[in-house]
Amino acid sequence: QVQFVESGGGLVQPGGSLRLSCAASGFTFSSYGIAWYRQTLGKERELVARITNSGDTTTYADSVKGRFTISRNNVANTVYLQMNSLKPEDTAVYYCNAPLSGVRVRYSWGRGTQVTVSS
């Protein structure tokens, strides 16, 4: 069965940094692109960052471009999201999954990890 286990979230001050990890299992990890998504109260889940299966190409939402970096380790079946210069509007639950199109994904969602940016 496919699982995503997100970790690394927490409470951080504006301008601070966090590194999120997504440990995946139950599918051929290296065959699929992986993306980070986030969801806040009153908003739809949004795509934050995406990385191709080999890790050679990355894309980012305009709101995080230049601040966040997605990467992956196909040996460890893990995707990372380095989050720098965090802003209060980055506060959300962060999830990872294998994207299809738009916000549709291949597999069931994990529990996510909470990121709270507040002074």
Side-chain angles (χ1 to χ4, degrees), residues 45-84:
R45 184 178 279 111
E46 65 173 334
L47 181 67
V48 175
R50 182 167 51 201
I51 188 167
T52 56
N53 65 310
S54 64
D56 61 340
T57 304
T58 59
T59 55
Y60 301 91
D62 288 342
S63 58
V64 307
K65 195 170 297 180
R67 301 187 297 118
F68 291 9
T69 303
I70 187 171
S71 61
R72 67 190 295 163
N73 185 330
N74 284 347
V75 175
N77 281 17
T78 304
V79 177
Y80 307 95
L81 187 67
Q82 180 65 48
M83 309 165 65
N84 298 326

Side-chain angles (χ1 to χ4, degrees), residues 4 6 8 12 15-16 20 29 33 35-36 40 46 49 56 77-78 89 99 101 106 109 118:
F4 296 99
E6 300 92 346
V12 64
L20 308 184
F29 180 79
W36 284 96
T40 59
E46 65 173 334
D56 61 340
N77 281 17
T78 304
E89 51 263 46
S101 61
R106 292 184 179 271
W109 297 101
S118 177

Side-chain angles (χ1 to χ4, degrees), residues 1 12 14 28-29 34 39 48-49 67 79 87-88 90 99 108 119:
Q1 56 185 5
V12 64
T28 305
F29 180 79
I34 303 294
Q39 188 170 33
V48 175
R67 301 187 297 118
V79 177
K87 304 175 180 180
D90 296 319
S108 298
S119 58

